[in-house]
Structures are given as structure tokens and as C-alpha cells.
Amino acid sequence: MSAQTATPGVFIVEDESMLLMLLEDLLPEMGYTVLASAGSVADALAHLSAIAPDIAVVDVNLAGTPSFPVAEALRARGIPFLFTTGYGQEGLPAHYADVPVLAKPFRRHDLDAALARVLSRA
Amino acid sequence: MVDRRRAGPGIGNLDVDVDDSAVAHGSRSTAEYRVRLYETILQATPDLVYIFDLQHRFTYANPALLAMWGRTWDEAIGKTCLELGYEPWHAAMHDREIDQVVATREPVRGDVPFNGTQGRRIYDYILVPVIGPDGEVEAVAGTTRDVTERKELEEAQRKSEERLSAMVNATSDLIYRCSPDWTQVQIVGGSALVGNPGILPPDWPATYLHPEDRALVERAIAEAQATQDAFHAEHRVAREDGAWAWVSSRAVPIRQADGTVTEWFGAATDISERRRHDEHQRLLVNELNHRVKNTLAIVQSMALQTLRDCDDAALAADRFESRLHALSHAHDMLTRKRWEGASLDDIVRAAIAPCVQQDTERFEIGGERVELDPQRALALTMALHELCTNAMKYGALSVTDGRVEIRWTCDGVGATRRLALRWEERGGPAVAPPTRRGFGSRLIERGLRHDLGGEVRLDFAPAGVVCRIDVPLAREAGP
């Protein structure tokens, strides 16, 4: 649990505003607090130095750029995360085999279940 | 045709010396016996046998020769080649050869075509000197064999080999042959993919096959050997320049009469270009799938947020359709530009198209030329569409005299270049700020700010809605 909220704090990394807005709508209903969001690698890394999320939802592809540096930064800080992607699992390097992948478009309960699974493992 | 058995007096006419002191008392019968033997052989042989005297006249011709000429003994004997109707060059050639045999006492051999009763045939002949009791050449004997079939066979084989060689030279494939156990490989010719023709070193699999493909090729060889059937494999080979080329390689066994495979003969086609194309195609399909999935997620988001925003199901359906339509328009616009980007002018016109219909005069549009990448273009189109929809429902476009001005300017250069776009409604009913910000407003403010990475201000000013968009134009550098 993050210090500043009673509900788990989520960090969203998603370049597509429509999907970001959807997550911003859905997550509070599922009992999460959206701490911050970012649409690019640089933006995400800048935010990460200022916040302490309990979990992160990371889009694999940020306007054509892989978000792996963000994933690495999250790992380094021990923050559990899941990937969202339109590519499916095969687009991911082998060392992310243990990271849950949420295929777009995803259903609300898929998101809920994936977040719960990530948090229970953390 | 002349019957050989009635061809003429035969060799008994010749003054054959068959005197043999060892059988002196029976010399006559011995000589006759020998003549019978020779006569029988000469009558029966399919070869042509003949004798020339020193004046180049035939003094003997066996039945096979008479038959080939189509002449009787009496017609032929005592005549020269020329007199028998040989072509002058042919007769002259034999004249020279007879003289040569007489002069050198050595045989002369040659082959020559001749038109006889069996048509044009090729003859292999040998002329030898007949040495008289005084040690002088007294005549020239000859035997001639019809070698037409053999020559034709040789010619056919030569042509076949020439064709094979031409094929090897003409093809762009690499032509190779292998020993039955594939340990020896010879590059015969064709493409110089792996270098010039020649025998490959014994460790050719290690030298020429890509490490990842070696097992596959070895399996294919083992299978071809086991089934004695065509070998086929697609694999990489080391080109002469060190790069890897993809080849489709096929080889067939060549068998001897008893069925044993004596060698394998094959061709390898360079399919690098096709493999590159396939890979490109795979990437394209993958990318398309990604875009489709992303678009479906956008549509999902639009649907959910439109529904949340609106209690009236019919109204929600209208709004959703309208947004879906705008998204579709934006896709069309980007597809026309091959998803490389779009000019701001195109974006604005695409966004307002559904509102304009015949009434273009209600919009004032202007600004300098500026290009946006696909993602920003899409976001701006959707935001402008929301502004349009709002203006038609509540704002300047809901009354006949209302107008909308869309103007933009660019400032700065390079990394500091910024775009300032202003949407301003005039002449509409007095505007009251909405009691609650719906999806449309969020899409404009929150969405656009996120997608464009700048500032977006939506003012519900009493004189008309004003939306100011101020964004950096330089794409953020990669990580």
C-alpha cells in the first residue's frame, strides 16, 4: 500500500488518450487510485522519480517506441506491473515472460483480475 | 539391290599366293580351302571390303560394297571412284590416300559421309598397303564400316552435354553434384553465389551452412538417402562475400542401370528476396493487427464513456455513431497519406466535414502549413469533432448567423517550435458554462493535452466557446 492512499495507487503508462481516460474511469471503480499517468518513456521516467505507486499498468508500445526502459525502472524499484498491448505475448522479450499481459481491447474484469494477480504476487 | 551371293567371281579371281611348302603336296586343295574361307567371310561381313590397284581402280569389291553402291561386279570392277560417280572431292581424297599408302607403306584411316543405296551414311575406313613378293606395294586394300549409328549417338551425346552445359551457364541457380554419401560436393556452375565452380572442401557443411540450419539440412540429406528420393531444403548458405543467402535447394539421385545411386545432381535457387518479402509481410500483418486491436480499444473506450455520460439510450447511440464516424473519417484521411501524417489543414477540414455540409461560409479557416504525426492528427480530429458537435447542438452552429473561426500560427524553430490553434465561436446564443463536464469536454481537454503534450483550454465564454490549443511541434526524442 502506498503511504498516501488507503487504496492501491496505480501509475498508468499509455500514449492513447482514449485508453488512458478509460483506465482513469475504470480504476477508481475497482478500488484503485490513479496516482499519475504518462504517454511517453521520458514522461514516465520523470513521474516515477516523484511518486511511489503500488502497481503500474504499462502499454508496451508508446507511439512506436517500446516502453521497456519504463519496465526496467519499475523492476529496479520493485514496483509490480502488467503490460497492455495490441501485439499479444509474442512481441515481448523473453525476460518479461513472467509479466502478465493484458491484450487490447480488454474487458473490465480482465483488468481487475490481472491487477489483483500482480498485487497478490508482489 | 544386288544379291551378295551372285555378286561376281569374288576373291578367287585374285592371284592369291597360297603356296605353302609345308603342305606342298596338297597345296592346291589348301589354297582352295583358304579361298573358300575368305570368300565366305567376305560374302558375309556387313563391312565393305575392297582392293585398289596402283591406278586407283577397284579390283575387288565384296557383296556389301556392291550392294551399297547398287552395282554389279561387272559394272564396278576396273573403275575408279570418280568413274563410279563419287563426288569429285571424295574421289580426289581417296586418290591422295591411296598414293599416301603406297608411298609410306602405312595405313590411312578416316571417316566420310556417303550417299549410297541406304541413304546418307557415315563410314569409317582404313586403307592398308598390300606388299607383293618383291617387297613392293602392289595394291591397296580397304575395309569400311558403317558407323552412322555410333556417330549419331556420339553427336546426340555431345549435343546433350552441350545443352546441359548451356543450361548450367544460363541458369541463375547454383548447380551442384554430390557423391552418393554427400561427403563430396562439386559446384558445377550457374550462380556464383558461393564462389566459382569447383570441389568444395570436405568440411563444406561447417563452411557453407548456417549453424542454425545445419541440423535441418543433415536431416533432409538423411531422409533423401533413406528414401532414395529428391532432396529438398530451404536454408542459408555463406555467400562468397561472407553474407548469408537463403536458398531453396533440390537434388535428385542419378542411378546406374541396376538402380544404385551413383551421384546426386541439384540446383539451389537464391530466395533471399522472397524471404525478405515474407518477413516484411509478416511485420506488416503484425503491425496491422496491432493497429486494429488498438482501434478496437479506442472504440471500446468511446462506447463505454459515451454510455456513462448519457442516460438516454437513443441519444447515446447517436453520439456514439457520430464519434465512430469521426474516427473513421480520421482513418480515411491518414490512409490517404499512408499513415505518415497529415497537414493541419486536412485535419481541420476532415473534422468539420460532417458539420459543414453545404454551408462552408460559416467557417473561417486559416494558418500556415504544418504537418502532424498520425497519432496527434487522430487526437486533434476527434477533439475538433467534439467542438463541432457541441457548436451544432448548443453553440454558434445552432443558429443561422453563427460562425466559427479556426486559426493557427507556429512560433519558434526546431525543438522549440510550437503550434497555437484557436477555435472561436461567434454569433451564437449566449453561452452558459455546462453544469458538468461530459466525455466531450474531457476528450478535448484531458485527451488532447495528453496526446499533444501541450496546453488545452476550453472556455465557455458568454459570447461563444473558445478553445485554445498550445502544443510543442517537435516530437519528443526517443528513450
Side-chain angles (χ1 to χ4, degrees):
Chain A
M1 290 288 138
S2 64
Q4 58 268 60
T5 54
T7 54
V10 186
F11 178 43
I12 306 171
V13 183
E14 167 63 65
D15 61 329
E16 180 58 62
S17 66
M18 285 282 199
L19 305 189
L20 173 66
M21 286 191 281
L22 181 66
L23 287 170
E24 285 176 343
D25 268 3
L26 293 180
L27 288 171
E29 292 173 7
M30 295 173 181
Y32 296 89
T33 302
V34 177
L35 295 184
S37 62
S40 69
V41 170
D43 202 10
L45 294 177
H47 270 101
L48 267 182
S49 60
I51 56 168
D54 298 289
I55 188 169
V57 177
V58 182
D59 183 7
V60 172
N61 185 316
L62 300 174
T65 306
S67 61
F68 302 137
V70 180
E72 289 310 306
L74 289 166
R75 272 196 169 164
R77 288 190 48 189
I79 300 168
F81 61 96
L82 60 85
F83 280 127
T84 62
T85 180
Y87 284 113
Q89 184 88 50
E90 71 270 23
L92 288 174
H95 64 280
Y96 292 124
D98 62 325
V99 177
V101 177
L102 209 50
K104 295 178 185 177
F106 46 79
R107 292 169 296 185
R108 267 174 290 190
H109 68 81
D110 294 331
L111 174 65
D112 205 5
L115 287 167
R117 203 162 64 243
V118 174
L119 277 180
S120 71
R121 285 203 309 207
Chain B
M1 290 292 285
V2 172
D3 185 348
R4 290 179 187 187
R5 262 169 279 279
R6 295 193 285 108
I11 203 161
N13 276 21
L14 296 172
D15 184 15
V16 178
D17 178 15
V18 289
D19 185 27
D20 187 344
S21 57
V23 286
H25 67 277
S27 65
R28 188 69 199 156
S29 63
T30 304
E32 284 174 356
Y33 175 63
R34 285 193 177 183
V35 167
R36 267 202 314 281
L37 282 184
Y38 300 159
E39 189 65 29
T40 306
I41 291 166
L42 293 169
Q43 293 279 335
T45 180
D47 288 347
L48 319 178
V49 184
Y50 45 90
I51 292 170
F52 292 110
D53 65 15
L54 298 180
Q55 282 73 48
H56 304 182
R57 291 177 303 219
F58 284 96
T59 57
Y60 174 78
N62 76 337
L65 177 56
L66 293 171
M68 190 274 278
W69 282 335
R71 291 177 188 274
T72 63
W73 174 272
D74 293 333
E75 284 167 351
I77 296 306
K79 298 209 169 77
T80 62
C81 287
L82 195 62
E83 287 163 346
L84 282 167
Y86 281 50
E87 297 271 343
W89 64 267
H90 193 168
M93 180 179 81
H94 287 326
D95 285 340
R96 279 196 307 277
E97 289 164 344
I98 293 164
D99 287 342
Q100 188 186 330
V101 170
V102 172
T104 63
R105 304 161 71 92
E106 295 290 335
V108 165
R109 189 164 184 172
D111 55 64
V112 66
F114 187 78
N115 277 303
T117 49
Q118 282 115 49
R120 188 176 188 275
R121 311 290 292 176
I122 296 167
Y123 296 97
D124 177 20
Y125 60 91
I126 182 160
L127 303 179
V128 294
V130 179
I131 312 293
D134 57 356
E136 294 297 314
V137 176
E138 59 178 12
V140 172
T143 60
T144 292
R145 179 163 291 179
D146 183 338
V147 292
T148 311
E149 275 79 21
R150 200 191 76 206
K151 287 279 180 188
E152 279 172 356
L153 211 63
E154 280 172 7
E155 179 63 12
Q157 197 158 352
R158 194 186 61 78
K159 276 200 176 139
S160 163
E161 272 167 21
E162 250 178 31
R163 268 188 225 108
L164 177 67
S165 158
M167 193 193 85
V168 166
N169 291 330
T171 182
S172 55
D173 289 352
L174 175 73
I175 310 295
Y176 60 88
R177 50 196 288 250
C178 310
S179 57
D181 63 358
W182 288 71
T183 52
Q184 283 185 308
V185 177
Q186 181 195 354
I187 302 301
V188 180
S191 155
L193 196 65
V194 302
N196 291 324
I199 309 240
L200 297 185
D203 65 342
W204 65 269
T207 314
Y208 288 95
L209 297 181
H210 193 284
E212 288 169 22
D213 301 342
R214 214 165 292 158
L216 175 143
V217 173
E218 276 159 12
R219 267 201 309 280
I221 291 173
E223 199 188 322
Q225 284 181 314
T227 59
Q228 300 271 288
D229 205 357
F231 157 87
H232 180 232
E234 278 194 14
H235 60 89
R236 281 158 286 183
V237 294
R239 285 195 337 203
E240 203 180 16
D241 64 7
W244 293 107
W246 274 99
V247 294
S248 171
S249 185
R250 294 186 72 88
V252 289
I254 292 180
R255 295 182 170 88
Q256 62 189 30
D258 68 357
T260 315
V261 173
T262 52
E263 65 174 283
W264 293 77
F265 201 82
T269 313
D270 188 341
I271 54 162
S272 305
E273 199 50 50
R274 200 197 78 200
R275 296 290 296 215
R276 265 195 291 278
H277 182 259
D278 288 353
E279 176 61 13
H280 184 61
Q281 201 79 352
R282 198 186 60 75
L283 287 176
L284 279 183
V285 169
N286 208 22
E287 188 54 34
L288 180 66
N289 184 49
H290 172 246
R291 283 210 184 142
V292 168
K293 291 295 178 64
N294 224 43
T295 305
L296 286 174
I298 289 171
V299 172
Q300 176 196 27
S301 171
M302 267 173 20
L304 286 178
Q305 295 187 78
T306 303
L307 286 172
R308 271 162 189 271
D309 212 28
C310 193
D311 296 330
D312 181 341
L315 189 61
D318 272 354
R319 287 186 182 170
F320 176 68
E321 273 181 354
S322 169
R323 284 168 179 153
L324 194 60
H325 198 243
L327 184 65
S328 170
H329 261 279
H331 272 246
D332 286 344
M333 173 187 68
L334 287 167
T335 301
R336 276 195 295 276
K337 293 288 194 73
R338 306 174 62 183
W339 282 83
E340 283 161 2
S343 75
L344 190 47
D345 200 60
D346 285 345
I347 293 165
V348 168
R349 286 178 200 281
I352 66 171
C355 313
V356 171
Q357 285 150 4
Q358 305 95 349
D359 204 2
T360 49
E361 286 176 4
R362 305 183 68 166
F363 286 89
E364 284 173 48
I365 301 164
E368 59 199 272
R369 181 163 182 82
V370 53
E371 291 279 326
L372 292 182
D373 59 83
Q375 198 178 1
R376 292 178 184 209
L378 204 59
L380 194 56
T381 311
M382 294 307 286
L384 289 171
H385 169 260
E386 291 298 331
L387 286 168
C388 256
T389 308
N390 189 67
M392 285 173 78
K393 273 190 293 195
Y394 314 110
L397 301 179
S398 68
V399 295
T400 41
D401 295 334
R403 300 175 76 84
V404 178
E405 198 180 333
I406 309 166
R407 296 207 177 273
W408 63 91
T409 54
C410 293
D411 281 318
V413 285
T416 63
R417 195 153 181 250
R418 295 184 75 86
L419 165 71
L421 184 143
R422 183 185 171 92
W423 165 288
E424 188 168 2
E425 296 178 31
R426 282 195 310 259
V431 173
T435 48
R436 147 188 107 81
R437 297 245 156 160
F439 175 46
S441 301
R442 270 186 80 209
L443 197 150
I444 295 163
E445 290 182 305
R446 176 81 186 95
L448 210 49
R449 192 180 304 135
H450 182 78
D451 285 332
L452 298 186
E455 287 307 312
V456 179
R457 278 189 55 199
L458 183 58
D459 282 335
F460 291 92
V465 171
V466 177
C467 182
R468 294 182 192 84
I469 298 165
D470 179 20
V471 293
L473 275 175
R475 265 320 260 189
E476 186 178 65

